[in-house]
Amino acid sequence: MAAKKKRSPSVQTDSWVVIAADSVIDTQKQDSDPAFVRLRNPSTDAASLYMLGGGDVQLFEVKAFDEDFHSWFVGQTVQRDGRLLFVTPMDPLYLILPYLIKSGKEEKFQPVDQVVMDEEFPACSRLLSCTRSLASLHHIAEEKEVGKLKFHRYSQEKTMNWLKKKVERTVIVLKKRNISVGERVKSTTYIRVKSESDYHEEDYLRYAHGLISEYISEDLSKALLKHLQLPELTSPKETEPPSKKRKLSDNPVEAGEDYTKFNSADFVRKPPKKMTAAQKSLAKVDKSGMKPMSSFFSPKVKSEKK
Amino acid sequence: MDLGPFEGDNSVSCRLASQIPDVCRTEDCCLGIDEAGRGPVLGPMVYGICFCPVSRKQELKDSKVADSKTLTEAERENLFEKLDEAKSYVGWALQILSPNTISTSMLQRTKYNLNALSHDTAIGLVQYALDNGVQLKEVFVDTVGPADKYEDKLSKLFPGIDVTVRPKADSLFPIVSAASICAKVARDRVVKGWNFSEDLGGVDTDYGSGYPNDPKTKAWLLKYLDPVFGYPQFVRFSWSTAQTLMDSKGVTVHWDDDDEDGEKAAQRKNNKSMLSYFSASAGSNDQNPTHQTHRFFTDRRLKSLDTL
C-alpha cells in the first residue's frame, strides 16, 4: 500500500471560487469597486468577512462551503482550496444593531454616525453608506429630527417586532424551499420518517429563530425567543443524571471475584461457540487487502514527505 | 483479430471474439482459459478462452500450440494465424481489461482485488461460450490463487461441466496453450499500438516490457510522471511501482477514504476522546463554546470566514 500521507496546512492562495450575484460586481455607476471587509460579527462578536458592493451601497455576507478533501480545477490550473464562497445580500441593520444597543444604554438620542464607530473595525462606518441603512433605522430605533439633523435611540420593542417579522418571513421561505426543520437528523444516512406536512408551526418558528440568531447577539436571541412565545428548550446537560458517588464503607477491601479458581486443574476451557449465521457470512467476506482491526489503534505518526 | 472495438475506447473492458464454429454447437467441446499481462505495470490484462470439439483435441495438439511463454513473438503470431485458419472447429474469445479498469477496480472504495477480477473475467468468458450455444463438457484453467479453491468455485458455478484447474495448465493442455496464445497476441498488439488518449505530444513508446523490474519501464515511468495527474491511463495506478513514484515525486493527494491513523489524524478530524462521553462536565472543544452555529449552516458545511 501507499505510504501514509499527512496533511500539511493549507497555504494561502490568491484566488477563490466565488458565487456572487451580478449586482455585486456591477460597478458601472459607482466610483469605487466592491471590496471584502472585516466587520464585527453580531453573533460571535469576532471578526467576520463581508463584502461591500461598489460605492458601498449594498452589504453582502460571505459564507464558504468548506468540506474536507476538495479541490478545484480552474481552467488549466489546480486550486488546492476547494472552498466555494457565496456572496449573498445581507441587511446592514444586523451589523449596525450592536452599536445602537451599546449606545442605547446611555438612553440618549445620538447622531448615528457617532454611534457606529469601532476602533477595531474602522470599516463599520461604511455600513451607513448602504442605501438600506438610514432608511430602515426606524425599525430598531426611535428617531428625532432637530433641524436638518437626525438623532436615534435604540428601541428594544421596535427591534423585537422587526426581528419577529424577519422570523415570519424566514418561515415562509423555509416552507417554500421545503427545508427540513423537524428534529435533528444526525446522520445523512438516516431516513426522514416525517413527511413535510407533519412539521408543526413551532418547528418552523424555532428553526427560523435559530437562523436569525446567527445574525444577532445571544441576549437578543433569548429575548426574541420570549417575544415569539417559544419556551426555551432544556439543554441536555441539565437532564443528565448526577454522577454516582462511591459507596463508603468501613469494611476492608476485598476482591469481588476469585480468579484463582480458573487456575485449578478441573477448570477446562469451553470449546469456542459456534458462529451465528451472520458471523459466518461475515467470515466469508473477501478480506484481502483489508487492514486488521489492530492497525486502527496504532499510535505511530507518519512523517510528511516533502 | 480486429482490435478496433477496444482501440475505439481503451479505457474500458472490451470483448473480442471469433465466429462460433457450427460444430461446437452440436458436439461436446473442451475449453481452455488463460491470461496474459497479469504482472506488468503498463498495459491491459487480457483473458482468453479457446474452445474446440473434444474429438478434435488431437488436431490442435498436432498444430504444435505450446505455452506462449516458450515461444517468440513471431512464433506466437504464426500460431495465432493457424488458429484463425482452423475456424471451422476452433473458436476463441478475449476479454481485454484496460489498465484503467484494473486501476479503478483495485483502488475503488470497496476494493476489488486482482484475483477476484481475474476470476470474474474467466467466469464471464465461460458464460459467454455457454450463452452462444457451445456444448461445453470440459474446462481447463491455468490457476489464479489456490487451484482447488478456484476449481470448487468454477464447478459450483457451472454444474455438469468437468472443470480442471492446474498451475501451468498452459503447458499441460493444448486448448489452454491455444487460449494463452490468443491472449498474449492480443496483449502484444494492444501494447504496441497503444492509443494514448492523453495529449502527451509525441509520446516515447520505448517503454520496454512493461514489467516493474524492467529498467526501461522504470525510466519511462519516471519520464511520464505528471505531478498532478500522475500517469496516462496506460499505467496501472494500483501497482506499487506506480504508487511509490507518485507518492515521492507527485503532489500529495488526499482522499476521504485514505488510511490515516494515530492521534493526530483523530485530532484533525475533530474526533472526541472516548473518555469525553463519560465525564459529566464534557464541554465542546470549540473555540467559542457559547456560540453554536445553526444546523442550517453546519448541515450545508457553510462557514463564516474571518479572512480570505
Side-chain angles (χ1 to χ4, degrees):
Chain A
M1 278 315 295
K4 295 289 177 343
K5 298 171 274 192
K6 210 188 87 183
R7 312 182 97 213
S8 53
S10 233
V11 279
Q12 287 283 312
T13 48
D14 51 359
S15 54
W16 313 275
V17 181
V18 181
I19 290 189
D22 284 341
S23 62
V24 178
I25 48 164
D26 179 24
T27 54
Q28 280 181 334
K29 280 169 263 165
Q30 310 303 337
D31 41 0
S32 68
D33 286 337
F36 286 110
V37 283
R38 276 157 64 92
L39 296 168
R40 192 181 291 282
N41 186 314
S43 162
T44 61
D45 207 35
S48 277
L49 202 64
Y50 297 88
M51 183 178 241
L52 281 165
D56 295 353
V57 291
Q58 226 190 333
L59 175 72
F60 301 91
E61 73 170 323
V62 181
K63 290 262 185 211
F65 170 81
D66 190 3
E67 213 175 27
D68 263 344
F69 311 110
H70 284 71
S71 297
W72 290 105
F73 283 110
V74 183
Q76 292 298 311
T77 59
V78 178
Q79 183 164 319
R80 179 171 175 177
D81 171 26
R83 290 181 304 180
L84 176 59
L85 305 191
F86 292 91
V87 175
T88 48
M90 178 173 176
D91 190 337
L93 225 45
Y94 286 115
L95 295 190
I96 295 171
L97 187 55
Y99 296 105
L100 268 171
I101 292 175
K102 212 171 138 200
S103 74
K105 286 178 182 131
E106 299 168 36
E107 302 202 339
K108 283 190 295 191
F109 282 87
Q110 293 184 60
V112 73
D113 53 345
Q114 281 179 31
V115 169
V116 185
M117 282 200 298
D118 197 328
E119 276 180 16
E120 228 181 303
F121 303 99
C124 74
S125 58
R126 287 163 71 183
L127 286 168
L128 296 172
S129 316
C130 294
T131 12
R132 288 181 69 178
S133 299
L134 296 177
S136 54
L137 270 177
H138 64 91
H139 288 301
I140 56 170
E142 290 164 58
E143 283 178 320
K144 241 184 204 173
E145 229 173 311
V146 179
K148 276 186 179 173
L149 288 172
K150 267 191 178 178
F151 299 87
H152 289 90
R153 187 174 71 182
Y154 170 68
S155 156
Q156 172 98 359
E157 191 196 335
K158 281 186 156 200
T159 303
M160 281 302 130
N161 287 332
W162 173 68
L163 287 172
K164 192 182 175 192
K165 265 185 227 159
K166 290 273 186 196
V167 169
E168 284 161 357
R169 284 185 175 195
T170 309
V171 167
I172 293 169
V173 177
L174 288 174
K175 286 180 179 168
K176 214 158 91 185
R177 293 293 172 93
N178 273 326
I179 299 211
S180 153
V181 298
E183 315 76 280
R184 180 78 198 247
V185 174
K186 282 209 174 128
S187 164
T188 46
T189 52
Y190 282 4
I191 293 159
R192 208 189 297 150
V193 257
K194 273 187 175 180
S195 72
E196 296 297 331
S197 57
D198 290 338
Y199 292 140
H200 299 297
E201 199 60 28
E202 194 195 312
D203 291 333
Y204 279 107
L205 273 178
R206 211 176 268 287
Y207 195 96
H209 167 263
L211 262 178
I212 297 295
S213 298
E214 284 291 308
Y215 299 90
I216 53 178
S217 69
E218 207 190 339
D219 290 345
L220 219 47
S221 166
K222 278 183 184 153
L224 179 59
L225 203 62
K226 251 182 217 155
H227 189 69
L228 293 167
Q229 292 169 343
L230 289 171
E232 251 186 86
L233 289 178
T234 47
S235 79
K237 255 187 215 170
E238 288 160 31
T239 59
E240 257 176 72
S243 58
K244 280 183 190 162
K245 290 245 170 70
R246 192 190 283 262
K247 266 187 206 154
L248 292 172
S249 126
D250 295 333
N251 297 335
V253 180
E254 267 179 52
E257 265 182 82
D258 181 10
Y259 293 104
T260 54
K261 67 186 175 196
F262 298 122
N263 296 336
S264 63
D266 53 321
F267 174 73
V268 193
R269 239 175 243 281
K270 277 186 199 157
K273 273 186 189 164
K274 273 193 177 169
M275 286 198 286
T276 65
Q279 283 173 320
K280 270 185 202 159
S281 72
L282 273 176
K284 278 184 215 150
V285 165
D286 177 15
K287 288 186 286 284
S288 45
M290 284 169 62
K291 299 180 70 175
M293 185 69 93
S294 56
S295 73
F296 293 99
F297 298 97
S298 110
K300 59 187 170 218
V301 175
K302 275 80 197 178
S303 61
E304 168 121 352
K305 47 148 220 256
K306 295 281 133 50
Chain B
M1 193 190 314
D2 175 23
L3 292 169
F6 179 69
E7 280 169 350
D9 179 4
N10 61 20
S11 65
V12 293
S13 169
C14 173
R15 178 172 296 157
L16 307 173
S18 71
Q19 284 270 325
I20 309 278
D22 287 335
V23 60
C24 291
R25 296 188 212 257
T26 51
E27 275 188 54
D28 284 355
C29 289
C30 61
L31 179 146
I33 310 177
D34 198 13
E35 117 277 327
R38 191 177 167 74
V41 60
L42 300 178
M45 179 161 86
V46 181
Y47 253 85
I49 58 165
C50 232
F51 46 90
C52 76
V54 176
S55 58
R56 301 179 80 161
K57 263 189 195 169
Q58 194 55 42
E59 280 174 61
L60 199 66
K61 205 169 185 178
D62 295 342
S63 67
K64 294 213 171 60
V65 290
D67 174 7
S68 64
K69 287 183 203 88
T70 65
L71 303 168
T72 65
E73 197 176 333
E75 284 171 321
R76 279 197 301 264
E77 286 282 347
N78 224 342
L79 280 167
F80 181 72
E81 289 307 314
K82 271 195 190 164
L83 284 171
D84 223 23
E85 279 161 26
K87 56 168 145 269
S88 62
Y89 72 98
V90 179
W92 53 264
L94 297 170
Q95 190 76 33
I96 305 179
L97 298 169
S98 70
N100 188 45
T101 307
I102 297 169
S103 305
T104 51
S105 299
M106 292 174 73
L107 294 176
Q108 68 189 348
R109 271 169 202 248
T110 30
K111 304 285 175 264
Y112 184 26
N113 71 41
L114 198 64
N115 279 5
L117 186 63
S118 299
H119 287 187
D120 291 346
T121 309
I123 289 161
L125 283 167
V126 174
Q127 194 60 50
Y128 163 82
L130 288 171
D131 291 348
N132 281 279
V134 178
Q135 297 297 310
L136 288 184
K137 276 287 159 301
E138 305 167 354
V139 168
F140 300 93
V141 194
D142 197 355
T143 192
V144 169
D148 40 349
K149 261 195 189 167
Y150 193 15
E151 195 170 287
D152 258 17
K153 185 174 176 182
L154 291 174
S155 302
K156 272 184 194 139
L157 272 168
F158 302 109
I161 296 177
D162 189 13
V163 181
T164 312
V165 180
R166 284 288 153 72
K168 300 214 173 77
D170 49 352
S171 53
L172 295 172
F173 311 105
I175 194 71
V176 180
S177 309
S180 84
I181 286 164
C182 292
K184 186 80 176 147
V185 166
R187 174 168 152 94
D188 284 349
R189 290 189 190 177
V190 167
V191 169
K192 257 194 184 160
W194 186 260
N195 254 328
F196 285 92
S197 54
E198 297 82 8
D199 182 15
L200 298 173
V203 63
D204 172 11
T205 52
D206 191 19
Y207 33 71
S209 66
Y211 278 86
N213 55 3
D214 185 333
K216 266 190 176 172
T217 303
K218 269 217 149 146
W220 190 89
L221 284 173
L222 267 173
K223 185 173 170 190
Y224 283 98
L225 176 75
D226 181 283
V228 172
F229 296 100
Y231 286 109
Q233 287 190 356
F234 185 48
V235 177
R236 301 183 189 172
F237 282 61
S238 45
W239 254 238
S240 63
T241 321
Q243 279 179 351
T244 315
L245 282 171
M246 286 190 291
D247 281 345
S248 60
K249 300 263 178 352
V251 171
T252 313
V253 178
H254 300 278
W255 301 94
D256 70 356
D257 60 344
D258 271 345
D259 304 309
E260 254 188 315
D261 40 37
E263 274 168 48
K264 270 199 168 170
Q267 203 177 33
R268 194 186 60 69
K269 289 177 186 161
N270 233 335
N271 288 352
K272 276 194 207 161
S273 153
M274 184 69 95
L275 294 171
S276 70
Y277 293 99
F278 296 104
S279 86
S281 61
S284 68
N285 300 328
D286 293 337
Q287 303 133 312
N288 188 351
T290 54
H291 182 76
Q292 273 231 308
T293 310
H294 191 252
R295 62 173 149 130
F296 177 86
F297 296 109
T298 51
D299 286 355
R300 286 159 181 79
R301 303 279 185 275
L302 288 171
K303 287 178 185 162
S304 284
L305 300 175
D306 57 352
T307 43
L308 264 189

